[in-house]
Amino acid sequence: MDIKLTRNENPAPLTPEDALGFGRVFSDHMLLWDWSAERGWHDLRIVPFAPLTLHPASTVLHYGAEIFEGLKAYRREDGGVQLFRPIENIRRLNRSAERMCLPELDENELLEALLAFVRLEERWVPKSFGTSLYLRPFLFGNDEQLGVHAVHNATFVLIASPSGSYYKEGINPVGIMIESEDVRAVRGGTGYAKCGGNYAASTRAGERAAKAGYSQVLWLDGVERKYIEEVGAMNVMFRIGDEIVTPALTGSILPGITRKSCIEVLRAEGYTVNERLLSVDELIAALESGELKEAWGCGTAAVVSPIGRFAYGDRVYTVSDGGIGEVTKQLYDTLTGIQWGKLPDPDGWVLKL
Ligand SMILES: *Cc1c(COP(=O)(O)O)cnc(C)c1O
C-alpha cells in the first residue's frame, strides 16, 4: 500500500500541554483518500494540514452524507505511543458507512494508513497522563451535483488534534437533564451510526439543558418515550442494587467502544452486567428508594463521567451522596491504566506503534 507524502515545510510549534483544550489545535498534516464508483479508493496521501475545497453542490453540504470516528493516541511513561482497540473504530466506521450509503474501507489498509499517519505525527502526542492526540477520521459524500442518490464520489480524511486532560479540575459528578421532548434517534434510523446528522439533531436539547445548568441530556427512546438510551454523546450505565445495567443496543443507540470495554472489565471482575431495557420510571423509583448506587456516562473523550444528579420535569434527584461511586472510580482507573500503559493489557486491547 502506497501513501504519497507531501511534507509540511513549516511545522508548527507545539502548544504547551497545560494550554491544550479539545479540538482547537491541529497537527502538521492530514491524510486524504478519494473514492469514486469507477475507480474505487485511490490517491491515498498525506499532505500539509489545510482547509478543504468543496464544490458548492457537494452532497455533504446538502444531504448530510457524513460519518466520523474518534479515538486517541496515548503516550506511555516509557515514551512510546499506543492506540486503544483501533480495529473497533474501523469496523464501526464501516457499519456507519453501510447505513449512510458511503463506501466502506478495507480494514487492514485503513489500520495501516492510521498507523503511518500517527507515526508521522508522533511529536504531537502530548506526554502528561490524561492528555492524548485525538484522532478524527471522517468520510463524506462529495458528488458535485444536487441529485439525491447514493454517492459516486466520496472523500476520507484523517486529522489529529492534541488534547488536554478531560479532568483538568479533577473528576466531578455532573448534572443530567432527562429529555422528554426531543429525541436523538429512532429504531430504523441512524442512531447506531456515528454520523454528523445525529449531532445536529441533538444540539437543541443540549442547549436547553446547558441553559438550565445541566451538562448533558438523558435521551429516551423515540417511540414510547420511556426507555433510557444514552446521555449526551456518551453511553450510560447504572448500578442498581447489585446489578450493573446499561441500555441494550436496540438500533437507536451508538455501540460505544468504551461501553463495550466497561462491560468486559466489569464481567471479568465478577460483576453482574445486564444489557436490557431500562425505563425512566424504573430509574426514578431506584433514585427514590436509594437502590440507585451509581450512574455514569462512558465514551472515548471522558472515559467515564460520574453522574451526581438527574432533573426530571421539575424535580431533581441526587444519586446516592452525589459523589463518585466506587465502581465508576474503579472503571476509570482500570481503563485509563490500560490506555496510558500503566496497567497490564490482558485482552490485547492496546496496539503499540
Ligand atoms: C461516539 C459516541 C459514543 C461513545 O463511543 P466510544 O466508542 O466509547 O467513544 C456514545 N454515544 C454517541 C452518540 C457517540 O457519538
PDB file of all heavy atoms in Angstrom, residues 7-41:
ATOM      1  N   ARG A   7       5.421  16.620   2.640  1.00  0.00           N
ATOM      2  CA  ARG A   7       5.724  17.126   3.978  1.00  0.00           C
ATOM      3  C   ARG A   7       5.342  18.583   4.160  1.00  0.00           C
ATOM      4  O   ARG A   7       5.456  19.387   3.238  1.00  0.00           O
ATOM      5  CB  ARG A   7       7.223  16.986   4.265  1.00  0.00           C
ATOM      6  CG  ARG A   7       7.553  15.656   4.833  1.00  0.00           C
ATOM      7  CD  ARG A   7       9.000  15.566   5.285  1.00  0.00           C
ATOM      8  NE  ARG A   7       9.302  14.162   5.515  1.00  0.00           N
ATOM      9  CZ  ARG A   7       8.987  13.511   6.644  1.00  0.00           C
ATOM     10  NH1 ARG A   7       8.408  14.140   7.639  1.00  0.00           N
ATOM     11  NH2 ARG A   7       9.253  12.231   6.770  1.00  0.00           N
ATOM     12  N   ASN A   8       4.923  18.899   5.369  1.00  0.00           N
ATOM     13  CA  ASN A   8       4.692  20.292   5.731  1.00  0.00           C
ATOM     14  C   ASN A   8       6.052  20.933   5.982  1.00  0.00           C
ATOM     15  O   ASN A   8       6.793  20.494   6.858  1.00  0.00           O
ATOM     16  CB  ASN A   8       3.823  20.350   6.999  1.00  0.00           C
ATOM     17  CG  ASN A   8       3.381  21.749   7.329  1.00  0.00           C
ATOM     18  OD1 ASN A   8       4.056  22.716   6.988  1.00  0.00           O
ATOM     19  ND2 ASN A   8       2.241  21.871   7.989  1.00  0.00           N
ATOM     20  N   GLU A   9       6.385  21.927   5.181  1.00  0.00           N
ATOM     21  CA  GLU A   9       7.709  22.557   5.297  1.00  0.00           C
ATOM     22  C   GLU A   9       7.759  23.562   6.447  1.00  0.00           C
ATOM     23  O   GLU A   9       8.817  24.072   6.784  1.00  0.00           O
ATOM     24  CB  GLU A   9       8.106  23.244   3.979  1.00  0.00           C
ATOM     25  CG  GLU A   9       8.225  22.292   2.778  1.00  0.00           C
ATOM     26  CD  GLU A   9       9.268  21.175   2.981  1.00  0.00           C
ATOM     27  OE1 GLU A   9      10.160  21.337   3.833  1.00  0.00           O
ATOM     28  OE2 GLU A   9       9.146  20.136   2.298  1.00  0.00           O
ATOM     29  N   ASN A  10       6.603  23.873   7.008  1.00  0.00           N
ATOM     30  CA  ASN A  10       6.561  24.814   8.134  1.00  0.00           C
ATOM     31  C   ASN A  10       5.879  24.202   9.347  1.00  0.00           C
ATOM     32  O   ASN A  10       4.798  24.631   9.744  1.00  0.00           O
ATOM     33  CB  ASN A  10       5.796  26.091   7.741  1.00  0.00           C
ATOM     34  CG  ASN A  10       6.503  26.825   6.628  1.00  0.00           C
ATOM     35  OD1 ASN A  10       7.641  27.257   6.776  1.00  0.00           O
ATOM     36  ND2 ASN A  10       5.829  26.926   5.488  1.00  0.00           N
ATOM     37  N   PRO A  11       6.497  23.163   9.933  1.00  0.00           N
ATOM     38  CA  PRO A  11       5.853  22.524  11.094  1.00  0.00           C
ATOM     39  C   PRO A  11       5.618  23.544  12.206  1.00  0.00           C
ATOM     40  O   PRO A  11       6.466  24.398  12.463  1.00  0.00           O
ATOM     41  CB  PRO A  11       6.845  21.442  11.517  1.00  0.00           C
ATOM     42  CG  PRO A  11       8.119  21.755  10.819  1.00  0.00           C
ATOM     43  CD  PRO A  11       7.802  22.564   9.608  1.00  0.00           C
ATOM     44  N   ALA A  12       4.452  23.445  12.840  1.00  0.00           N
ATOM     45  CA  ALA A  12       4.069  24.421  13.873  1.00  0.00           C
ATOM     46  C   ALA A  12       4.748  24.100  15.193  1.00  0.00           C
ATOM     47  O   ALA A  12       5.073  22.938  15.460  1.00  0.00           O
ATOM     48  CB  ALA A  12       2.557  24.395  14.039  1.00  0.00           C
ATOM     49  N   PRO A  13       4.953  25.114  16.057  1.00  0.00           N
ATOM     50  CA  PRO A  13       5.447  24.831  17.406  1.00  0.00           C
ATOM     51  C   PRO A  13       4.356  24.123  18.205  1.00  0.00           C
ATOM     52  O   PRO A  13       3.164  24.356  17.962  1.00  0.00           O
ATOM     53  CB  PRO A  13       5.736  26.214  17.988  1.00  0.00           C
ATOM     54  CG  PRO A  13       4.946  27.167  17.163  1.00  0.00           C
ATOM     55  CD  PRO A  13       4.731  26.543  15.818  1.00  0.00           C
ATOM     56  N   LEU A  14       4.755  23.233  19.121  1.00  0.00           N
ATOM     57  CA  LEU A  14       3.765  22.529  19.944  1.00  0.00           C
ATOM     58  C   LEU A  14       3.146  23.495  20.955  1.00  0.00           C
ATOM     59  O   LEU A  14       3.823  24.361  21.488  1.00  0.00           O
ATOM     60  CB  LEU A  14       4.439  21.376  20.707  1.00  0.00           C
ATOM     61  CG  LEU A  14       5.033  20.244  19.867  1.00  0.00           C
ATOM     62  CD1 LEU A  14       5.710  19.223  20.771  1.00  0.00           C
ATOM     63  CD2 LEU A  14       3.955  19.574  19.016  1.00  0.00           C
ATOM     64  N   THR A  15       1.852  23.326  21.206  1.00  0.00           N
ATOM     65  CA  THR A  15       1.168  24.112  22.230  1.00  0.00           C
ATOM     66  C   THR A  15       1.543  23.543  23.603  1.00  0.00           C
ATOM     67  O   THR A  15       1.586  22.320  23.759  1.00  0.00           O
ATOM     68  CB  THR A  15      -0.360  23.982  22.040  1.00  0.00           C
ATOM     69  OG1 THR A  15      -0.650  24.322  20.688  1.00  0.00           O
ATOM     70  CG2 THR A  15      -1.146  24.881  22.971  1.00  0.00           C
ATOM     71  N   PRO A  16       1.832  24.387  24.597  1.00  0.00           N
ATOM     72  CA  PRO A  16       2.125  23.846  25.938  1.00  0.00           C
ATOM     73  C   PRO A  16       0.991  22.933  26.411  1.00  0.00           C
ATOM     74  O   PRO A  16      -0.182  23.246  26.188  1.00  0.00           O
ATOM     75  CB  PRO A  16       2.203  25.107  26.815  1.00  0.00           C
ATOM     76  CG  PRO A  16       2.437  26.234  25.867  1.00  0.00           C
ATOM     77  CD  PRO A  16       1.857  25.849  24.553  1.00  0.00           C
ATOM     78  N   GLU A  17       1.367  21.821  27.062  1.00  0.00           N
ATOM     79  CA  GLU A  17       0.349  20.812  27.384  1.00  0.00           C
ATOM     80  C   GLU A  17      -0.747  21.314  28.312  1.00  0.00           C
ATOM     81  O   GLU A  17      -1.885  20.863  28.234  1.00  0.00           O
ATOM     82  CB  GLU A  17       1.023  19.564  27.962  1.00  0.00           C
ATOM     83  CG  GLU A  17       1.859  18.882  26.900  1.00  0.00           C
ATOM     84  CD  GLU A  17       2.335  17.494  27.272  1.00  0.00           C
ATOM     85  OE1 GLU A  17       1.920  16.964  28.325  1.00  0.00           O
ATOM     86  OE2 GLU A  17       3.115  16.947  26.488  1.00  0.00           O
ATOM     87  N   ASP A  18      -0.420  22.255  29.185  1.00  0.00           N
ATOM     88  CA  ASP A  18      -1.471  22.721  30.103  1.00  0.00           C
ATOM     89  C   ASP A  18      -2.403  23.732  29.421  1.00  0.00           C
ATOM     90  O   ASP A  18      -3.396  24.158  30.006  1.00  0.00           O
ATOM     91  CB  ASP A  18      -0.868  23.292  31.394  1.00  0.00           C
ATOM     92  CG  ASP A  18       0.165  24.372  31.104  1.00  0.00           C
ATOM     93  OD1 ASP A  18       0.306  24.766  29.928  1.00  0.00           O
ATOM     94  OD2 ASP A  18       0.833  24.815  32.060  1.00  0.00           O
ATOM     95  N   ALA A  19      -2.082  24.108  28.189  1.00  0.00           N
ATOM     96  CA  ALA A  19      -2.954  25.052  27.473  1.00  0.00           C
ATOM     97  C   ALA A  19      -3.799  24.339  26.414  1.00  0.00           C
ATOM     98  O   ALA A  19      -4.536  24.980  25.664  1.00  0.00           O
ATOM     99  CB  ALA A  19      -2.104  26.139  26.825  1.00  0.00           C
ATOM    100  N   LEU A  20      -3.699  22.998  26.357  1.00  0.00           N
ATOM    101  CA  LEU A  20      -4.469  22.258  25.348  1.00  0.00           C
ATOM    102  C   LEU A  20      -5.912  22.110  25.809  1.00  0.00           C
ATOM    103  O   LEU A  20      -6.168  21.667  26.906  1.00  0.00           O
ATOM    104  CB  LEU A  20      -3.871  20.861  25.155  1.00  0.00           C
ATOM    105  CG  LEU A  20      -2.503  20.756  24.484  1.00  0.00           C
ATOM    106  CD1 LEU A  20      -2.008  19.321  24.589  1.00  0.00           C
ATOM    107  CD2 LEU A  20      -2.576  21.202  23.038  1.00  0.00           C
ATOM    108  N   GLY A  21      -6.840  22.479  24.984  1.00  0.00           N
ATOM    109  CA  GLY A  21      -8.242  22.196  25.285  1.00  0.00           C
ATOM    110  C   GLY A  21      -8.636  20.978  24.482  1.00  0.00           C
ATOM    111  O   GLY A  21      -7.891  19.993  24.424  1.00  0.00           O
ATOM    112  N   PHE A  22      -9.796  21.037  23.851  1.00  0.00           N
ATOM    113  CA  PHE A  22     -10.204  19.933  22.985  1.00  0.00           C
ATOM    114  C   PHE A  22     -10.514  20.448  21.574  1.00  0.00           C
ATOM    115  O   PHE A  22     -11.346  21.348  21.408  1.00  0.00           O
ATOM    116  CB  PHE A  22     -11.441  19.217  23.536  1.00  0.00           C
ATOM    117  CG  PHE A  22     -11.940  18.142  22.591  1.00  0.00           C
ATOM    118  CD1 PHE A  22     -11.232  16.955  22.453  1.00  0.00           C
ATOM    119  CD2 PHE A  22     -13.071  18.344  21.823  1.00  0.00           C
ATOM    120  CE1 PHE A  22     -11.653  15.981  21.562  1.00  0.00           C
ATOM    121  CE2 PHE A  22     -13.501  17.357  20.932  1.00  0.00           C
ATOM    122  CZ  PHE A  22     -12.796  16.178  20.797  1.00  0.00           C
ATOM    123  N   GLY A  23      -9.818  19.863  20.588  1.00  0.00           N
ATOM    124  CA  GLY A  23     -10.191  20.095  19.194  1.00  0.00           C
ATOM    125  C   GLY A  23      -9.950  21.485  18.649  1.00  0.00           C
ATOM    126  O   GLY A  23     -10.648  21.898  17.718  1.00  0.00           O
ATOM    127  N   ARG A  24      -8.982  22.187  19.197  1.00  0.00           N
ATOM    128  CA  ARG A  24      -8.719  23.536  18.685  1.00  0.00           C
ATOM    129  C   ARG A  24      -7.362  23.649  17.999  1.00  0.00           C
ATOM    130  O   ARG A  24      -7.166  24.501  17.157  1.00  0.00           O
ATOM    131  CB  ARG A  24      -8.808  24.554  19.834  1.00  0.00           C
ATOM    132  CG  ARG A  24     -10.244  24.787  20.276  1.00  0.00           C
ATOM    133  CD  ARG A  24     -10.353  25.868  21.328  1.00  0.00           C
ATOM    134  NE  ARG A  24     -10.074  25.363  22.662  1.00  0.00           N
ATOM    135  CZ  ARG A  24      -9.026  25.710  23.393  1.00  0.00           C
ATOM    136  NH1 ARG A  24      -8.140  26.551  22.923  1.00  0.00           N
ATOM    137  NH2 ARG A  24      -8.864  25.213  24.601  1.00  0.00           N
ATOM    138  N   VAL A  25      -6.434  22.771  18.379  1.00  0.00           N
ATOM    139  CA  VAL A  25      -5.092  22.773  17.785  1.00  0.00           C
ATOM    140  C   VAL A  25      -4.991  21.534  16.890  1.00  0.00           C
ATOM    141  O   VAL A  25      -5.487  20.474  17.264  1.00  0.00           O
ATOM    142  CB  VAL A  25      -4.027  22.685  18.910  1.00  0.00           C
ATOM    143  CG1 VAL A  25      -2.628  22.617  18.331  1.00  0.00           C
ATOM    144  CG2 VAL A  25      -4.183  23.853  19.864  1.00  0.00           C
ATOM    145  N   PHE A  26      -4.371  21.664  15.730  1.00  0.00           N
ATOM    146  CA  PHE A  26      -4.246  20.514  14.844  1.00  0.00           C
ATOM    147  C   PHE A  26      -2.789  20.273  14.467  1.00  0.00           C
ATOM    148  O   PHE A  26      -1.981  21.202  14.478  1.00  0.00           O
ATOM    149  CB  PHE A  26      -5.135  20.710  13.606  1.00  0.00           C
ATOM    150  CG  PHE A  26      -6.587  20.733  13.985  1.00  0.00           C
ATOM    151  CD1 PHE A  26      -7.233  21.940  14.264  1.00  0.00           C
ATOM    152  CD2 PHE A  26      -7.295  19.555  14.166  1.00  0.00           C
ATOM    153  CE1 PHE A  26      -8.553  21.965  14.680  1.00  0.00           C
ATOM    154  CE2 PHE A  26      -8.618  19.573  14.581  1.00  0.00           C
ATOM    155  CZ  PHE A  26      -9.256  20.778  14.837  1.00  0.00           C
ATOM    156  N   SER A  27      -2.490  19.007  14.165  1.00  0.00           N
ATOM    157  CA  SER A  27      -1.106  18.642  13.851  1.00  0.00           C
ATOM    158  C   SER A  27      -0.733  19.166  12.464  1.00  0.00           C
ATOM    159  O   SER A  27      -1.536  19.805  11.794  1.00  0.00           O
ATOM    160  CB  SER A  27      -0.950  17.120  13.950  1.00  0.00           C
ATOM    161  OG  SER A  27      -1.643  16.502  12.890  1.00  0.00           O
ATOM    162  N   ASP A  28       0.476  18.854  12.012  1.00  0.00           N
ATOM    163  CA  ASP A  28       1.008  19.460  10.784  1.00  0.00           C
ATOM    164  C   ASP A  28       0.421  18.888   9.491  1.00  0.00           C
ATOM    165  O   ASP A  28       0.529  19.504   8.441  1.00  0.00           O
ATOM    166  CB  ASP A  28       2.530  19.249  10.733  1.00  0.00           C
ATOM    167  CG  ASP A  28       3.244  19.998  11.837  1.00  0.00           C
ATOM    168  OD1 ASP A  28       2.869  21.157  12.100  1.00  0.00           O
ATOM    169  OD2 ASP A  28       4.164  19.413  12.452  1.00  0.00           O
ATOM    170  N   HIS A  29      -0.127  17.675   9.572  1.00  0.00           N
ATOM    171  CA  HIS A  29      -0.555  17.008   8.337  1.00  0.00           C
ATOM    172  C   HIS A  29      -1.983  16.505   8.433  1.00  0.00           C
ATOM    173  O   HIS A  29      -2.575  16.480   9.512  1.00  0.00           O
ATOM    174  CB  HIS A  29       0.364  15.808   8.032  1.00  0.00           C
ATOM    175  CG  HIS A  29       1.794  16.182   7.820  1.00  0.00           C
ATOM    176  ND1 HIS A  29       2.694  16.237   8.853  1.00  0.00           N
ATOM    177  CD2 HIS A  29       2.465  16.547   6.700  1.00  0.00           C
ATOM    178  CE1 HIS A  29       3.873  16.619   8.386  1.00  0.00           C
ATOM    179  NE2 HIS A  29       3.767  16.810   7.084  1.00  0.00           N
ATOM    180  N   MET A  30      -2.520  16.106   7.302  1.00  0.00           N
ATOM    181  CA  MET A  30      -3.784  15.366   7.280  1.00  0.00           C
ATOM    182  C   MET A  30      -3.677  14.292   6.204  1.00  0.00           C
ATOM    183  O   MET A  30      -2.858  14.403   5.284  1.00  0.00           O
ATOM    184  CB  MET A  30      -4.962  16.306   7.007  1.00  0.00           C
ATOM    185  CG  MET A  30      -4.908  17.041   5.694  1.00  0.00           C
ATOM    186  SD  MET A  30      -6.275  18.238   5.612  1.00  0.00           S
ATOM    187  CE  MET A  30      -6.009  18.888   3.962  1.00  0.00           C
ATOM    188  N   LEU A  31      -4.497  13.251   6.387  1.00  0.00           N
ATOM    189  CA  LEU A  31      -4.475  12.158   5.420  1.00  0.00           C
ATOM    190  C   LEU A  31      -5.760  12.224   4.592  1.00  0.00           C
ATOM    191  O   LEU A  31      -6.847  12.429   5.150  1.00  0.00           O
ATOM    192  CB  LEU A  31      -4.370  10.825   6.166  1.00  0.00           C
ATOM    193  CG  LEU A  31      -4.324   9.548   5.337  1.00  0.00           C
ATOM    194  CD1 LEU A  31      -3.381   8.540   5.981  1.00  0.00           C
ATOM    195  CD2 LEU A  31      -5.705   8.923   5.204  1.00  0.00           C
ATOM    196  N   LEU A  32      -5.612  12.102   3.300  1.00  0.00           N
ATOM    197  CA  LEU A  32      -6.774  12.157   2.404  1.00  0.00           C
ATOM    198  C   LEU A  32      -6.811  10.894   1.553  1.00  0.00           C
ATOM    199  O   LEU A  32      -5.759  10.343   1.193  1.00  0.00           O
ATOM    200  CB  LEU A  32      -6.683  13.381   1.468  1.00  0.00           C
ATOM    201  CG  LEU A  32      -6.665  14.767   2.104  1.00  0.00           C
ATOM    202  CD1 LEU A  32      -6.394  15.826   1.043  1.00  0.00           C
ATOM    203  CD2 LEU A  32      -7.997  15.046   2.798  1.00  0.00           C
ATOM    204  N   TRP A  33      -8.028  10.484   1.240  1.00  0.00           N
ATOM    205  CA  TRP A  33      -8.187   9.284   0.415  1.00  0.00           C
ATOM    206  C   TRP A  33      -9.479   9.486  -0.377  1.00  0.00           C
ATOM    207  O   TRP A  33     -10.536   9.755   0.227  1.00  0.00           O
ATOM    208  CB  TRP A  33      -8.330   8.063   1.342  1.00  0.00           C
ATOM    209  CG  TRP A  33      -7.884   6.756   0.789  1.00  0.00           C
ATOM    210  CD1 TRP A  33      -7.606   6.439  -0.504  1.00  0.00           C
ATOM    211  CD2 TRP A  33      -7.670   5.559   1.553  1.00  0.00           C
ATOM    212  NE1 TRP A  33      -7.213   5.130  -0.598  1.00  0.00           N
ATOM    213  CE2 TRP A  33      -7.241   4.567   0.646  1.00  0.00           C
ATOM    214  CE3 TRP A  33      -7.789   5.228   2.906  1.00  0.00           C
ATOM    215  CZ2 TRP A  33      -6.944   3.258   1.060  1.00  0.00           C
ATOM    216  CZ3 TRP A  33      -7.498   3.938   3.305  1.00  0.00           C
ATOM    217  CH2 TRP A  33      -7.073   2.959   2.396  1.00  0.00           C
ATOM    218  N   ASP A  34      -9.407   9.384  -1.678  1.00  0.00           N
ATOM    219  CA  ASP A  34     -10.591   9.622  -2.519  1.00  0.00           C
ATOM    220  C   ASP A  34     -11.206   8.315  -2.970  1.00  0.00           C
ATOM    221  O   ASP A  34     -10.509   7.316  -3.150  1.00  0.00           O
ATOM    222  CB  ASP A  34     -10.193  10.430  -3.769  1.00  0.00           C
ATOM    223  CG  ASP A  34      -9.716  11.822  -3.408  1.00  0.00           C
ATOM    224  OD1 ASP A  34     -10.295  12.424  -2.487  1.00  0.00           O
ATOM    225  OD2 ASP A  34      -8.737  12.285  -4.033  1.00  0.00           O
ATOM    226  N   TRP A  35     -12.503   8.371  -3.184  1.00  0.00           N
ATOM    227  CA  TRP A  35     -13.208   7.198  -3.709  1.00  0.00           C
ATOM    228  C   TRP A  35     -14.155   7.636  -4.833  1.00  0.00           C
ATOM    229  O   TRP A  35     -14.787   8.702  -4.735  1.00  0.00           O
ATOM    230  CB  TRP A  35     -14.040   6.542  -2.607  1.00  0.00           C
ATOM    231  CG  TRP A  35     -14.834   5.349  -3.071  1.00  0.00           C
ATOM    232  CD1 TRP A  35     -14.421   4.050  -3.123  1.00  0.00           C
ATOM    233  CD2 TRP A  35     -16.181   5.347  -3.560  1.00  0.00           C
ATOM    234  NE1 TRP A  35     -15.428   3.242  -3.603  1.00  0.00           N
ATOM    235  CE2 TRP A  35     -16.517   4.021  -3.875  1.00  0.00           C
ATOM    236  CE3 TRP A  35     -17.142   6.346  -3.760  1.00  0.00           C
ATOM    237  CZ2 TRP A  35     -17.768   3.651  -4.379  1.00  0.00           C
ATOM    238  CZ3 TRP A  35     -18.389   5.985  -4.272  1.00  0.00           C
ATOM    239  CH2 TRP A  35     -18.697   4.651  -4.569  1.00  0.00           C
ATOM    240  N   SER A  36     -14.200   6.856  -5.883  1.00  0.00           N
ATOM    241  CA  SER A  36     -15.246   7.054  -6.891  1.00  0.00           C
ATOM    242  C   SER A  36     -15.768   5.693  -7.309  1.00  0.00           C
ATOM    243  O   SER A  36     -15.072   4.679  -7.171  1.00  0.00           O
ATOM    244  CB  SER A  36     -14.706   7.823  -8.105  1.00  0.00           C
ATOM    245  OG  SER A  36     -13.830   6.990  -8.830  1.00  0.00           O
ATOM    246  N   ALA A  37     -17.008   5.682  -7.777  1.00  0.00           N
ATOM    247  CA  ALA A  37     -17.626   4.417  -8.170  1.00  0.00           C
ATOM    248  C   ALA A  37     -16.801   3.751  -9.273  1.00  0.00           C
ATOM    249  O   ALA A  37     -16.699   2.524  -9.320  1.00  0.00           O
ATOM    250  CB  ALA A  37     -19.060   4.664  -8.652  1.00  0.00           C
ATOM    251  N   GLU A  38     -16.196   4.542 -10.136  1.00  0.00           N
ATOM    252  CA  GLU A  38     -15.416   3.991 -11.247  1.00  0.00           C
ATOM    253  C   GLU A  38     -14.070   3.449 -10.775  1.00  0.00           C
ATOM    254  O   GLU A  38     -13.647   2.373 -11.186  1.00  0.00           O
ATOM    255  CB  GLU A  38     -15.154   5.058 -12.327  1.00  0.00           C
ATOM    256  CG  GLU A  38     -16.401   5.594 -13.026  1.00  0.00           C
ATOM    257  CD  GLU A  38     -17.212   6.539 -12.138  1.00  0.00           C
ATOM    258  OE1 GLU A  38     -16.597   7.278 -11.333  1.00  0.00           O
ATOM    259  OE2 GLU A  38     -18.457   6.498 -12.224  1.00  0.00           O
ATOM    260  N   ARG A  39     -13.401   4.188  -9.903  1.00  0.00           N
ATOM    261  CA  ARG A  39     -12.010   3.846  -9.562  1.00  0.00           C
ATOM    262  C   ARG A  39     -11.857   3.190  -8.200  1.00  0.00           C
ATOM    263  O   ARG A  39     -10.775   2.714  -7.859  1.00  0.00           O
ATOM    264  CB  ARG A  39     -11.144   5.105  -9.608  1.00  0.00           C
ATOM    265  CG  ARG A  39     -11.099   5.736 -10.994  1.00  0.00           C
ATOM    266  CD  ARG A  39     -10.264   7.022 -10.992  1.00  0.00           C
ATOM    267  NE  ARG A  39      -8.871   6.778 -10.604  1.00  0.00           N
ATOM    268  CZ  ARG A  39      -7.994   7.745 -10.308  1.00  0.00           C
ATOM    269  NH1 ARG A  39      -8.388   9.010 -10.324  1.00  0.00           N
ATOM    270  NH2 ARG A  39      -6.756   7.455  -9.992  1.00  0.00           N
ATOM    271  N   GLY A  40     -12.911   3.184  -7.379  1.00  0.00           N
ATOM    272  CA  GLY A  40     -12.742   2.687  -6.018  1.00  0.00           C
ATOM    273  C   GLY A  40     -11.895   3.664  -5.223  1.00  0.00           C
ATOM    274  O   GLY A  40     -11.804   4.848  -5.563  1.00  0.00           O
ATOM    275  N   TRP A  41     -11.232   3.144  -4.179  1.00  0.00           N
ATOM    276  CA  TRP A  41     -10.367   4.015  -3.363  1.00  0.00           C
ATOM    277  C   TRP A  41      -9.079   4.303  -4.108  1.00  0.00           C
ATOM    278  O   TRP A  41      -8.447   3.399  -4.634  1.00  0.00           O
ATOM    279  CB  TRP A  41     -10.060   3.352  -2.023  1.00  0.00           C
ATOM    280  CG  TRP A  41     -11.270   3.370  -1.132  1.00  0.00           C
ATOM    281  CD1 TRP A  41     -12.115   2.321  -0.882  1.00  0.00           C
ATOM    282  CD2 TRP A  41     -11.779   4.501  -0.418  1.00  0.00           C
ATOM    283  NE1 TRP A  41     -13.126   2.735  -0.045  1.00  0.00           N
ATOM    284  CE2 TRP A  41     -12.937   4.074   0.258  1.00  0.00           C
ATOM    285  CE3 TRP A  41     -11.375   5.823  -0.273  1.00  0.00           C
ATOM    286  CZ2 TRP A  41     -13.705   4.922   1.058  1.00  0.00           C
ATOM    287  CZ3 TRP A  41     -12.125   6.683   0.515  1.00  0.00           C
ATOM    288  CH2 TRP A  41     -13.272   6.224   1.171  1.00  0.00           C
TER     289      TRP A  41
END
